[in-house]
Amino acid sequence: MRVLHVLTNSLPHTQSGYSLRSHRILMALREQGIESVALTRTGYPVMVGKFLAGDEDVVEGIRYVRSLPATLPRTQEERLLAEVDRALELVEEFQPHIVHATTNYHNALVAQAVADAAGLPWVLEVRGLMEQTWIASHATEQAQLEAASSEKARVIAAREVELVSEADAVVTLSDTMVAELARRGAAPEAITVVPNGVDPALLAQNFSPSEARASVGLDLEGAFVVGAVSALVDYEGFDTLLRAVALLMEDPDTDAELRERLHVILAGDGTAAPALRKLAHDLGIGGRVIMPGRISRDSARHWVQALDVVVVPRQDVEVARLVTPQKPVEALALARPVIISDLPALRETVSTDSGRLEALTFPAGSARKLAESIDAAYSSGAQAAQAGRTIAAGRTWTALVQRYGSIYSNTLARTEEDCTRGR
């Protein structure tokens, strides 16, 4: 089976939860005998500063094709049409059986047009909601409220759910997202959940925090380190983490050993990074906070293992309530305790099938409650972290990607049946 994927961005030029999930899926599909070619949006990656990028990249054997016309079209419609033209060239060359679009709805429009032109079925994978990501990008609560009530947000939301209803099959990441799509009018029985998974190799990684710190060049002997490996953007809520650490440092009731040992690592980069560095300085904990900037994909797991506790303190905004991140389940696979904001999507990532949580939770935005959770994690030690590996072991990409194989096969079978019936 051959599948043409339509993506927003990809490795090696963008390292994010989106690009890493895409790559891991394509790798696991290949292991199951499903061939893939991925096409990224028109102008990418030149438009993000990679001016010397070529027409293709091959990463670990996965082929990423670019839509790079000699002159970047001025309008969004023209860019989408250019991408459709490039995709149709790939259809002729690669002869795919299915077109698979992944968030956002621009990719769905391209996939739908290509599928209609080539007589192919198409699949839509909803990893997030475009208007919610746009709303969350606004700096203040008032600006977010105005964005949420805007005509732009309404039109985007309506277009996305329309495309969900028109796709031949739909995939999303969580039951939380299925419920939201159903609330907007999609048929829940037509949606398949494929949650974020883990590389099976993570389950065999047994570096201690001190061993991992040595591997990335950190000299933190005897430290107790909390933090994350993440994009540093406002809605991730790392300002709450810094404020929680400052509270622990200044509270006379905090265990003296914890105050002496406590450090923070925020590995990654993003628009919030400068403000986080300033906040750490203003709180008087700048000497306890390590922000190495963007790290390599190969070293990311070692940075996670360098932590004693992984913290995912997302703000209580709609995008964080609905979209499940990759970080918690990877932390569980690496046997690291996890603390999360008490939001629906985050709870789902760390829940067993019976509903038991394998993480500490705190009310989103509460530095005081997060400080209490960090103190509790310090007191309990690492023994609880091993239980989280049970969740992760059931969510390897090898196992989860079998669902894609079933989706593709069933979609093709329905398409052939409809053709036979003359639909």
Side-chain angles (χ1 to χ4, degrees), residues 149-206:
S149 61
S150 68
E151 180 71 5
K152 177 177 178 177
R154 188 193 67 77
V155 170
I156 293 173
R159 195 69 180 102
E160 287 203 324
V161 77
E162 179 184 335
L163 287 160
V164 166
S165 300
E166 292 174 355
D168 293 293
V170 180
V171 180
T172 194
L173 279 62
S174 66
D175 291 331
T176 304
M177 186 66 83
V178 172
E180 176 61 21
L181 292 173
R183 188 187 69 79
R184 296 180 178 207
E189 65 276 7
I191 304 173
T192 302
V193 174
V194 183
N196 282 319
V198 296
D199 181 346
L202 296 187
L203 299 168
Q205 294 278 320
N206 293 305

Short mmCIF file of all heavy atoms in Angstrom, two decimals, residues 149-206:
data_model
loop_
_atom_site.label_atom_id
_atom_site.label_comp_id
_atom_site.label_asym_id
_atom_site.label_seq_id
_atom_site.Cartn_x
_atom_site.Cartn_y
_atom_site.Cartn_z
N SER A 149 -14.24 35.37 19.89
CA SER A 149 -15.56 35.81 19.43
C SER A 149 -15.53 36.39 18.02
O SER A 149 -16.55 36.89 17.53
CB SER A 149 -16.11 36.86 20.40
OG SER A 149 -15.27 37.99 20.46
N SER A 150 -14.39 36.28 17.34
CA SER A 150 -14.24 36.91 16.03
C SER A 150 -14.86 36.07 14.92
O SER A 150 -15.08 34.86 15.07
CB SER A 150 -12.76 37.12 15.71
OG SER A 150 -12.11 35.88 15.53
N GLU A 151 -15.13 36.74 13.81
CA GLU A 151 -15.64 36.06 12.62
C GLU A 151 -14.62 35.07 12.09
O GLU A 151 -14.97 33.98 11.63
CB GLU A 151 -15.99 37.10 11.55
CG GLU A 151 -16.53 36.53 10.24
CD GLU A 151 -17.94 35.98 10.37
OE1 GLU A 151 -18.54 36.11 11.45
OE2 GLU A 151 -18.43 35.40 9.39
N LYS A 152 -13.34 35.42 12.17
CA LYS A 152 -12.29 34.52 11.70
C LYS A 152 -12.34 33.19 12.42
O LYS A 152 -12.29 32.12 11.79
CB LYS A 152 -10.92 35.17 11.89
CG LYS A 152 -9.74 34.28 11.49
CD LYS A 152 -8.41 35.00 11.63
CE LYS A 152 -7.25 34.07 11.26
NZ LYS A 152 -5.94 34.76 11.33
N ALA A 153 -12.44 33.21 13.76
CA ALA A 153 -12.49 31.97 14.53
C ALA A 153 -13.72 31.15 14.15
O ALA A 153 -13.64 29.93 14.02
CB ALA A 153 -12.48 32.28 16.02
N ARG A 154 -14.86 31.82 13.97
CA ARG A 154 -16.08 31.10 13.64
C ARG A 154 -15.98 30.42 12.27
O ARG A 154 -16.37 29.26 12.11
CB ARG A 154 -17.27 32.07 13.65
CG ARG A 154 -18.62 31.38 13.49
CD ARG A 154 -19.71 32.39 13.20
NE ARG A 154 -19.56 33.01 11.90
CZ ARG A 154 -19.86 32.42 10.74
NH1 ARG A 154 -20.31 31.17 10.72
NH2 ARG A 154 -19.70 33.06 9.60
N VAL A 155 -15.43 31.13 11.30
CA VAL A 155 -15.33 30.59 9.94
C VAL A 155 -14.36 29.41 9.89
O VAL A 155 -14.63 28.38 9.26
CB VAL A 155 -14.90 31.70 8.96
CG1 VAL A 155 -14.54 31.11 7.60
CG2 VAL A 155 -16.01 32.73 8.81
N ILE A 156 -13.22 29.54 10.58
CA ILE A 156 -12.24 28.45 10.59
C ILE A 156 -12.85 27.21 11.23
O ILE A 156 -12.73 26.09 10.71
CB ILE A 156 -10.96 28.86 11.34
CG1 ILE A 156 -10.21 29.95 10.57
CG2 ILE A 156 -10.05 27.66 11.57
CD1 ILE A 156 -9.02 30.53 11.32
N ALA A 157 -13.52 27.38 12.37
CA ALA A 157 -14.13 26.24 13.06
C ALA A 157 -15.17 25.55 12.18
O ALA A 157 -15.22 24.31 12.11
CB ALA A 157 -14.76 26.70 14.38
N ALA A 158 -15.97 26.34 11.50
CA ALA A 158 -17.00 25.77 10.64
C ALA A 158 -16.38 25.02 9.46
O ALA A 158 -16.85 23.93 9.08
CB ALA A 158 -17.92 26.88 10.12
N ARG A 159 -15.33 25.57 8.89
CA ARG A 159 -14.68 24.93 7.74
C ARG A 159 -14.03 23.62 8.15
O ARG A 159 -14.09 22.63 7.41
CB ARG A 159 -13.64 25.87 7.13
CG ARG A 159 -13.18 25.45 5.74
CD ARG A 159 -14.29 25.60 4.74
NE ARG A 159 -13.90 25.22 3.40
CZ ARG A 159 -14.24 24.06 2.83
NH1 ARG A 159 -14.95 23.17 3.48
NH2 ARG A 159 -13.87 23.80 1.58
N GLU A 160 -13.41 23.60 9.32
CA GLU A 160 -12.73 22.39 9.76
C GLU A 160 -13.72 21.25 9.98
O GLU A 160 -13.49 20.12 9.56
CB GLU A 160 -11.92 22.66 11.02
CG GLU A 160 -10.66 23.48 10.74
CD GLU A 160 -9.58 23.31 11.79
OE1 GLU A 160 -9.93 23.18 12.97
OE2 GLU A 160 -8.40 23.31 11.40
N VAL A 161 -14.84 21.53 10.65
CA VAL A 161 -15.79 20.46 10.92
C VAL A 161 -16.48 20.02 9.63
O VAL A 161 -16.85 18.84 9.47
CB VAL A 161 -16.81 20.88 12.00
CG1 VAL A 161 -17.89 21.80 11.44
CG2 VAL A 161 -17.44 19.65 12.64
N GLU A 162 -16.63 20.93 8.68
CA GLU A 162 -17.18 20.57 7.36
C GLU A 162 -16.27 19.56 6.66
O GLU A 162 -16.74 18.56 6.10
CB GLU A 162 -17.33 21.83 6.52
CG GLU A 162 -17.87 21.59 5.11
CD GLU A 162 -17.92 22.87 4.30
OE1 GLU A 162 -17.99 23.96 4.89
OE2 GLU A 162 -17.88 22.78 3.06
N LEU A 163 -14.96 19.80 6.75
CA LEU A 163 -14.02 18.89 6.10
C LEU A 163 -13.95 17.55 6.83
O LEU A 163 -13.77 16.50 6.21
CB LEU A 163 -12.65 19.54 6.03
CG LEU A 163 -12.56 20.66 4.98
CD1 LEU A 163 -11.38 21.59 5.25
CD2 LEU A 163 -12.44 20.06 3.57
N VAL A 164 -14.11 17.57 8.15
CA VAL A 164 -14.18 16.31 8.91
C VAL A 164 -15.34 15.47 8.39
O VAL A 164 -15.22 14.25 8.22
CB VAL A 164 -14.34 16.60 10.42
CG1 VAL A 164 -14.77 15.35 11.17
CG2 VAL A 164 -13.04 17.14 11.00
N SER A 165 -16.46 16.12 8.11
CA SER A 165 -17.65 15.39 7.64
C SER A 165 -17.49 14.89 6.21
O SER A 165 -18.12 13.90 5.82
CB SER A 165 -18.88 16.31 7.73
OG SER A 165 -19.11 16.71 9.07
N GLU A 166 -16.62 15.54 5.43
CA GLU A 166 -16.48 15.18 4.02
C GLU A 166 -15.38 14.15 3.77
O GLU A 166 -15.36 13.51 2.71
CB GLU A 166 -16.20 16.44 3.19
CG GLU A 166 -17.39 17.39 3.15
CD GLU A 166 -17.07 18.70 2.45
OE1 GLU A 166 -15.89 18.92 2.08
OE2 GLU A 166 -18.00 19.52 2.27
N ALA A 167 -14.45 13.98 4.71
CA ALA A 167 -13.37 13.03 4.52
C ALA A 167 -13.90 11.59 4.50
O ALA A 167 -14.94 11.29 5.09
CB ALA A 167 -12.34 13.18 5.64
N ASP A 168 -13.17 10.72 3.84
CA ASP A 168 -13.57 9.31 3.79
C ASP A 168 -13.30 8.59 5.10
O ASP A 168 -13.92 7.57 5.40
CB ASP A 168 -12.83 8.60 2.65
CG ASP A 168 -13.26 9.11 1.29
OD1 ASP A 168 -14.42 8.88 0.91
OD2 ASP A 168 -12.44 9.77 0.62
N ALA A 169 -12.36 9.09 5.90
CA ALA A 169 -12.09 8.56 7.23
C ALA A 169 -11.43 9.66 8.04
O ALA A 169 -10.76 10.53 7.49
CB ALA A 169 -11.19 7.33 7.16
N VAL A 170 -11.63 9.61 9.35
CA VAL A 170 -11.10 10.66 10.24
C VAL A 170 -10.35 10.00 11.39
O VAL A 170 -10.81 9.01 11.96
CB VAL A 170 -12.23 11.56 10.79
CG1 VAL A 170 -11.66 12.63 11.72
CG2 VAL A 170 -12.99 12.19 9.64
N VAL A 171 -9.21 10.58 11.72
CA VAL A 171 -8.38 10.14 12.85
C VAL A 171 -8.20 11.32 13.78
O VAL A 171 -8.07 12.47 13.32
CB VAL A 171 -6.99 9.65 12.37
CG1 VAL A 171 -6.14 9.20 13.55
CG2 VAL A 171 -7.13 8.54 11.35
N THR A 172 -8.18 11.07 15.08
CA THR A 172 -7.79 12.10 16.02
C THR A 172 -7.05 11.46 17.18
O THR A 172 -6.89 10.24 17.23
CB THR A 172 -8.99 12.94 16.49
OG1 THR A 172 -8.51 14.12 17.13
CG2 THR A 172 -9.88 12.17 17.44
N LEU A 173 -6.59 12.31 18.13
CA LEU A 173 -5.62 11.83 19.11
C LEU A 173 -6.23 11.40 20.43
O LEU A 173 -5.54 10.77 21.23
CB LEU A 173 -4.59 12.94 19.40
CG LEU A 173 -3.44 13.12 18.41
CD1 LEU A 173 -3.92 13.49 17.03
CD2 LEU A 173 -2.47 14.17 18.94
N SER A 174 -7.49 11.74 20.70
CA SER A 174 -8.02 11.47 22.03
C SER A 174 -9.54 11.42 22.01
O SER A 174 -10.19 11.96 21.10
CB SER A 174 -7.58 12.56 23.01
OG SER A 174 -8.17 13.80 22.66
N ASP A 175 -10.11 10.78 23.03
CA ASP A 175 -11.55 10.79 23.20
C ASP A 175 -12.05 12.20 23.50
O ASP A 175 -13.18 12.56 23.15
CB ASP A 175 -11.95 9.85 24.35
CG ASP A 175 -11.71 8.39 24.00
OD1 ASP A 175 -11.78 8.04 22.80
OD2 ASP A 175 -11.44 7.59 24.92
N THR A 176 -11.19 13.00 24.15
CA THR A 176 -11.54 14.40 24.42
C THR A 176 -11.80 15.13 23.11
O THR A 176 -12.77 15.89 22.99
CB THR A 176 -10.40 15.09 25.19
OG1 THR A 176 -10.14 14.36 26.38
CG2 THR A 176 -10.75 16.52 25.52
N MET A 177 -10.94 14.90 22.10
CA MET A 177 -11.13 15.57 20.82
C MET A 177 -12.32 14.99 20.06
O MET A 177 -13.04 15.74 19.37
CB MET A 177 -9.86 15.44 19.97
CG MET A 177 -9.91 16.22 18.67
SD MET A 177 -9.96 18.01 18.89
CE MET A 177 -8.21 18.35 19.11
N VAL A 178 -12.57 13.69 20.18
CA VAL A 178 -13.76 13.11 19.55
C VAL A 178 -15.02 13.80 20.07
O VAL A 178 -15.92 14.17 19.31
CB VAL A 178 -13.84 11.59 19.81
CG1 VAL A 178 -15.18 11.04 19.33
CG2 VAL A 178 -12.71 10.86 19.12
N ALA A 179 -15.08 13.99 21.38
CA ALA A 179 -16.25 14.63 21.99
C ALA A 179 -16.42 16.06 21.47
O ALA A 179 -17.54 16.51 21.22
CB ALA A 179 -16.12 14.62 23.51
N GLU A 180 -15.31 16.78 21.32
CA GLU A 180 -15.39 18.15 20.83
C GLU A 180 -15.85 18.18 19.37
O GLU A 180 -16.70 19.01 18.98
CB GLU A 180 -14.04 18.85 20.97
CG GLU A 180 -13.98 20.25 20.39
CD GLU A 180 -14.94 21.23 21.03
OE1 GLU A 180 -15.40 20.97 22.17
OE2 GLU A 180 -15.25 22.26 20.41
N LEU A 181 -15.31 17.29 18.54
CA LEU A 181 -15.73 17.25 17.15
C LEU A 181 -17.20 16.87 17.04
O LEU A 181 -17.94 17.40 16.19
CB LEU A 181 -14.85 16.27 16.36
CG LEU A 181 -13.39 16.69 16.19
CD1 LEU A 181 -12.59 15.56 15.56
CD2 LEU A 181 -13.27 17.95 15.35
N ALA A 182 -17.65 15.96 17.90
CA ALA A 182 -19.06 15.58 17.90
C ALA A 182 -19.94 16.75 18.32
O ALA A 182 -21.02 16.98 17.77
CB ALA A 182 -19.28 14.39 18.84
N ARG A 183 -19.45 17.53 19.30
CA ARG A 183 -20.20 18.71 19.74
C ARG A 183 -20.37 19.70 18.60
O ARG A 183 -21.38 20.41 18.51
CB ARG A 183 -19.46 19.37 20.91
CG ARG A 183 -20.24 20.51 21.58
CD ARG A 183 -19.38 21.23 22.60
NE ARG A 183 -18.30 21.98 21.98
CZ ARG A 183 -18.44 23.17 21.40
NH1 ARG A 183 -19.64 23.74 21.33
NH2 ARG A 183 -17.41 23.79 20.88
N ARG A 184 -19.39 19.72 17.68
CA ARG A 184 -19.45 20.64 16.55
C ARG A 184 -20.23 20.08 15.37
O ARG A 184 -20.37 20.74 14.36
CB ARG A 184 -18.03 20.99 16.10
CG ARG A 184 -17.22 21.72 17.16
CD ARG A 184 -15.83 22.05 16.69
NE ARG A 184 -15.08 22.80 17.69
CZ ARG A 184 -14.08 23.64 17.43
NH1 ARG A 184 -13.72 23.86 16.17
NH2 ARG A 184 -13.47 24.27 18.40
N GLY A 185 -20.68 18.84 15.49
CA GLY A 185 -21.52 18.28 14.44
C GLY A 185 -20.98 17.10 13.70
O GLY A 185 -21.66 16.54 12.83
N ALA A 186 -19.76 16.64 14.00
CA ALA A 186 -19.19 15.47 13.34
C ALA A 186 -19.80 14.20 13.93
O ALA A 186 -20.29 14.18 15.06
CB ALA A 186 -17.68 15.44 13.51
N ALA A 187 -19.77 13.12 13.14
CA ALA A 187 -20.30 11.83 13.60
C ALA A 187 -19.21 11.09 14.38
O ALA A 187 -18.21 10.67 13.79
CB ALA A 187 -20.75 11.00 12.41
N PRO A 188 -19.35 10.90 15.68
CA PRO A 188 -18.28 10.29 16.47
C PRO A 188 -17.95 8.87 16.06
O PRO A 188 -16.79 8.44 16.17
CB PRO A 188 -18.82 10.35 17.90
CG PRO A 188 -20.30 10.52 17.77
CD PRO A 188 -20.50 11.28 16.51
N GLU A 189 -18.94 8.12 15.56
CA GLU A 189 -18.69 6.73 15.17
C GLU A 189 -17.79 6.63 13.94
O GLU A 189 -17.23 5.56 13.65
CB GLU A 189 -20.00 6.00 14.90
CG GLU A 189 -20.83 6.51 13.72
CD GLU A 189 -21.72 7.70 14.07
OE1 GLU A 189 -21.61 8.22 15.20
OE2 GLU A 189 -22.52 8.10 13.21
N ALA A 190 -17.60 7.74 13.22
CA ALA A 190 -16.74 7.75 12.02
C ALA A 190 -15.31 8.14 12.34
O ALA A 190 -14.48 8.23 11.43
CB ALA A 190 -17.32 8.70 10.98
N ILE A 191 -14.99 8.38 13.62
CA ILE A 191 -13.67 8.86 14.01
C ILE A 191 -12.91 7.77 14.75
O ILE A 191 -13.44 7.15 15.67
CB ILE A 191 -13.79 10.11 14.90
CG1 ILE A 191 -14.61 11.19 14.19
CG2 ILE A 191 -12.41 10.64 15.27
CD1 ILE A 191 -14.93 12.39 15.07
N THR A 192 -11.66 7.55 14.35
CA THR A 192 -10.79 6.59 15.01
C THR A 192 -9.76 7.33 15.85
O THR A 192 -9.15 8.28 15.38
CB THR A 192 -10.05 5.71 13.98
OG1 THR A 192 -11.01 5.03 13.18
CG2 THR A 192 -9.15 4.68 14.67
N VAL A 193 -9.57 6.89 17.08
CA VAL A 193 -8.57 7.50 17.97
C VAL A 193 -7.24 6.77 17.84
O VAL A 193 -7.18 5.54 18.00
CB VAL A 193 -9.04 7.48 19.44
CG1 VAL A 193 -7.94 7.98 20.37
CG2 VAL A 193 -10.29 8.33 19.61
N VAL A 194 -6.20 7.51 17.52
CA VAL A 194 -4.82 6.99 17.55
C VAL A 194 -4.03 7.94 18.44
O VAL A 194 -3.58 8.99 18.00
CB VAL A 194 -4.19 6.91 16.15
CG1 VAL A 194 -2.79 6.28 16.24
CG2 VAL A 194 -5.07 6.10 15.20
N PRO A 195 -3.87 7.61 19.73
CA PRO A 195 -3.20 8.53 20.65
C PRO A 195 -1.72 8.67 20.36
O PRO A 195 -1.15 7.93 19.54
CB PRO A 195 -3.43 7.88 22.02
CG PRO A 195 -3.59 6.42 21.71
CD PRO A 195 -4.28 6.35 20.37
N ASN A 196 -1.10 9.62 21.02
CA ASN A 196 0.34 9.75 20.91
C ASN A 196 1.01 8.51 21.48
O ASN A 196 0.62 8.00 22.53
CB ASN A 196 0.83 10.99 21.67
CG ASN A 196 0.58 12.26 20.90
OD1 ASN A 196 0.78 12.30 19.68
ND2 ASN A 196 0.16 13.30 21.58
N GLY A 197 2.02 8.03 20.76
CA GLY A 197 2.71 6.83 21.17
C GLY A 197 4.16 7.10 21.50
O GLY A 197 4.61 8.25 21.55
N VAL A 198 4.89 6.01 21.73
CA VAL A 198 6.30 6.13 22.07
C VAL A 198 7.11 5.16 21.23
O VAL A 198 6.62 4.12 20.79
CB VAL A 198 6.55 5.84 23.57
CG1 VAL A 198 5.86 6.87 24.44
CG2 VAL A 198 6.11 4.44 23.95
N ASP A 199 8.35 5.52 21.03
CA ASP A 199 9.31 4.62 20.41
C ASP A 199 9.56 3.47 21.38
O ASP A 199 9.90 3.70 22.55
CB ASP A 199 10.60 5.39 20.15
CG ASP A 199 11.69 4.56 19.49
OD1 ASP A 199 11.56 3.32 19.45
OD2 ASP A 199 12.69 5.14 19.05
N PRO A 200 9.39 2.21 20.97
CA PRO A 200 9.60 1.09 21.89
C PRO A 200 10.98 1.11 22.54
O PRO A 200 11.14 0.62 23.66
CB PRO A 200 9.44 -0.15 20.99
CG PRO A 200 8.61 0.32 19.84
CD PRO A 200 8.97 1.75 19.63
N ALA A 201 11.96 1.73 21.87
CA ALA A 201 13.31 1.77 22.43
C ALA A 201 13.36 2.56 23.74
O ALA A 201 14.25 2.32 24.57
CB ALA A 201 14.27 2.38 21.42
N LEU A 202 12.41 3.49 23.94
CA LEU A 202 12.41 4.27 25.17
C LEU A 202 12.19 3.39 26.40
O LEU A 202 12.67 3.70 27.49
CB LEU A 202 11.34 5.36 25.13
CG LEU A 202 11.47 6.45 24.08
CD1 LEU A 202 10.40 7.52 24.31
CD2 LEU A 202 12.85 7.08 24.09
N LEU A 203 11.44 2.30 26.21
CA LEU A 203 11.13 1.43 27.34
C LEU A 203 12.35 0.70 27.86
O LEU A 203 12.34 0.19 28.99
CB LEU A 203 10.06 0.42 26.93
CG LEU A 203 8.72 1.03 26.50
CD1 LEU A 203 7.85 -0.02 25.84
CD2 LEU A 203 8.01 1.66 27.68
N ALA A 204 13.40 0.66 27.05
CA ALA A 204 14.63 -0.01 27.47
C ALA A 204 15.70 0.96 27.96
O ALA A 204 16.81 0.55 28.29
CB ALA A 204 15.18 -0.85 26.31
N GLN A 205 15.35 2.26 27.98
CA GLN A 205 16.30 3.28 28.42
C GLN A 205 16.27 3.37 29.95
O GLN A 205 15.23 3.65 30.53
CB GLN A 205 15.93 4.63 27.82
CG GLN A 205 16.07 4.69 26.32
CD GLN A 205 17.50 4.95 25.88
OE1 GLN A 205 18.21 5.75 26.47
NE2 GLN A 205 17.92 4.27 24.84
N ASN A 206 17.40 3.16 30.58
CA ASN A 206 17.43 3.12 32.04
C ASN A 206 18.49 4.03 32.64
O ASN A 206 19.03 3.75 33.71
CB ASN A 206 17.63 1.68 32.52
CG ASN A 206 16.44 0.80 32.20
OD1 ASN A 206 15.32 1.11 32.58
ND2 ASN A 206 16.68 -0.28 31.46
#
